[in-house]
Amino acid sequence: MRYRNLEECIIDLEKHGHLVRIREEVDPHLEMAAIHMKVYEAGGPALLFENVKGSTYRAVSNLFGTMERSKFIFRDTWHSTQNVIGLRNDPVKALKNPFKYIGTGVAARKALPFKKSGGPAGFKEIQISDMPLIKHWQGDGGAFVTLPQVYSEDPEKPGIMNSNLGMYRVQLTGNDYKVNREVGIHYQIHRGIGVHQHKANKRGEPLKVSVFIGGPPAHTLSAIMPLPEGMSELTFAGLLSGRHFRYTYVDGYCISLDADFVITGEIHPEDTKPEGPFGDHLGYYSLIHPFPVMKVHKVYARENAIYPFTVVGRPPQEDTSFGDLIHQLTGGAIQNEIRGVKEVHAVDAAGVHPLLFAIGSERYTPYQQVKQPAEILTQANRILGTGQLSLAKFLFMTAEEKGRNVSTHEMEDFLGYILERIDLHRDIHFQTNTTIDTLDYSGTGLNTGSKVIFAAVGDKKRELCTDVPELMQGLPGFEQVNFVMPGIVAVRGPQFTSYPEAEQQVNDLCDAIRARGPLTTCPMIIFCDDPAYLSAELNNFLWVTFTRSNPSHDIYGVNSFYDFKHWGCDNVIIDARSKPHQAPPLIQDPEVEERIKRVFAKGASLSGVGMK
């Protein structure tokens, strides 16, 4: 199907059993988000909320909740889009097999944006307060748009082909925002819109911005796609939807004629207001910080508009499915961008950005003789300097080897493969005082922290423990120890109020281990608040360990040492306890959970869906 709008997609999904209508009145304050999360967790259908309290507009969520549904939505354009992206990454393909790719030129021509003259026919002016004002978590600062397409143009080269379409969260209410007159837009200066704002600031002029909400699902996906250099998001939107992105200009603002809602306005130089808190993809609240404020010009809604939303929280959530969809569409893009790299996996369970697993290659070094990481270290630095991957804190990397089948997506096996082979005296490499994800509060300041590379190749150096080693049992002062996975145990640590106190506590653990002798089968120890919780399942280990630690400050070692600025140890200890400066975790409201049971009750709209 080539949907002209969101309504056509919803009708198609319902016809094929992929969508359920919720007839009951549902409160956008916490209830809609809670219903969405329960249905997503159960692998349930897309949801059309027909009766949103306080708004005349309907809302839809969980459109991309499963890979099956996403591929169904894009079933008519999926392969042609993959082919075009593949050609942009590797145009030699077309020269080698021209008949196979003959259709991609037609697909690409249909993708070019199409400008229409005149005003936005079929739209009417509304107020922001007319929209479904959805608040997702009880600690959120207000109502947020979670699936916006934020549009801006290069002030030095205006026009749609020099535009940026990005998904930057938009706060509609709360804090100091004047309702219907101001909204907050959360983005960093290195993003496309940030580059445009910087240029506008230098020119001493405001940046015109349009926020599109809804439209064909391809438009939503285009706002988050990591596209090849030179391919615009709006061209991709047309490519994946199978029809031109249609637009016009009103009062100098770009208007998507396919969107359901459009908010237009200006961002003035140095004009910021507090934005947040907001329940974010790391599973914590991102706190209040100053971000650009957009002064609202006009707000439009198409006739019978539908408001799409998702819920952001501890993974997995719907954005997990987004990530899988993007990975399948882009295919081997990273291999073409970084020579020698075979796989890079941003681990969703750890909040995506904190943790990467990667497989590279050792091609140009005397690898068979030396058997130590060499080329993969240069590849690791390239990975940590590439796009969104640069936000990572932890990178575990090995090399592809003949006869050894290793996959970054078999996470426990991959970590075990690294831990069997890593030389802890040689193969740990830090980058300090650098940038991390703005939403990650484990660092030393906003967007400030450190990175570490664990690199391992060659033959096994150790056998890994398959239970708590005898040496770790009954350790004086550290009696609670749980087995996590081969080579890793979790130890309960006391509370602390400062880093010097934390360091002393970890040093006490190191001394206790050292006093009992070498611990050869357990190269990694996690110092944490609750070992039973951390060890209960792999996702708990990944989430707690890598969202609550800053490598430079929270990695310690038994018998650690420095040798010409290089740090090494006999056993790595990661302090993954909650830090005093970290943001609070997201916790669902039990009262809201109780209230939404009515929608899942027998005879209700979601009877039998999502309830345990």
Side-chain angles (χ1 to χ4, degrees), residues 288-537:
I288 297 176
H289 298 287
F291 276 96
V293 57
M294 185 175 92
K295 297 188 182 301
V296 176
H297 177 64
K298 289 181 181 178
V299 184
Y300 302 91
R302 70 162 49 248
E303 186 178 356
N304 298 320
I306 302 170
Y307 183 94
F309 74 97
T310 190
V311 180
V312 184
R314 178 186 165 180
Q317 298 290 346
E318 190 177 2
D319 51 3
T320 301
S321 303
F322 269 124
D324 291 342
L325 184 65
I326 289 169
H327 176 75
Q328 290 204 24
L329 269 174
T330 56
I334 191 69
Q335 291 96 319
N336 288 295
E337 188 163 353
I338 306 176
R339 294 290 179 177
V341 171
K342 308 301 180 182
E343 288 183 35
V344 177
H345 177 197
V347 179
D348 182 73
V352 180
H353 292 150
L355 175 63
L356 300 177
F357 293 163
I359 297 174
S361 56
E362 293 286 352
R363 302 167 300 176
Y364 309 123
T365 57
Y367 173 56
Q368 294 302 319
Q369 289 75 38
V370 179
K371 291 202 171 184
Q372 72 179 55
E375 188 184 359
I376 64 168
L377 294 179
T378 66
Q379 294 163 0
N381 286 323
R382 285 287 308 278
I383 289 169
L384 292 176
T386 300
Q388 296 279 66
L389 301 178
S390 67
L391 301 177
K393 297 183 298 183
F394 290 83
L395 170 58
F396 289 78
M397 190 165 184
T398 189
E400 183 181 55
E401 289 194 59
K402 187 176 181 180
R404 291 176 178 167
N405 186 20
V406 186
S407 169
T408 61
H409 291 271
E410 298 294 332
M411 293 183 285
E412 185 171 326
D413 290 344
F414 182 81
L415 274 173
Y417 186 89
I418 296 282
L419 295 177
E420 286 174 339
R421 289 161 175 78
I422 192 166
D423 182 335
L424 297 174
H425 287 195
R426 182 192 65 201
D427 296 338
I428 304 174
H429 305 270
F430 288 90
Q431 297 178 7
T432 60
N433 295 321
T434 187
T435 56
I436 60 174
D437 190 353
T438 303
L439 307 176
D440 189 331
Y441 288 89
S442 67
T444 52
L446 185 65
N447 201 39
T448 305
S450 60
K451 306 180 189 298
V452 65
I453 299 164
F454 291 87
V457 297
D459 300 325
K460 286 174 61 172
K461 292 179 173 60
R462 64 183 64 83
E463 295 294 330
L464 302 179
C465 62
T466 55
D467 203 341
V468 176
E470 184 176 350
L471 185 153
M472 295 290 293
Q473 296 175 11
L475 207 60
F478 304 96
E479 285 79 13
Q480 187 174 345
V481 184
N482 287 65
F483 176 76
V484 179
M485 57 168 281
I488 303 177
V489 298
V491 179
R492 183 180 181 87
Q495 293 183 334
F496 66 96
T497 58
S498 66
Y499 265 115
E501 184 181 4
E503 184 175 13
Q504 183 58 55
Q505 291 165 350
V506 180
N507 286 337
D508 290 342
L509 175 61
C510 292
D511 291 341
I513 295 171
R514 187 184 304 111
R516 288 198 171 186
L519 181 59
T520 57
T521 63
C522 187
M524 183 172 287
I525 299 164
I526 311 302
F527 207 40
C528 63
D529 300 311
D530 187 349
Y533 173 79
L534 184 144
S535 62
E537 58 180 65

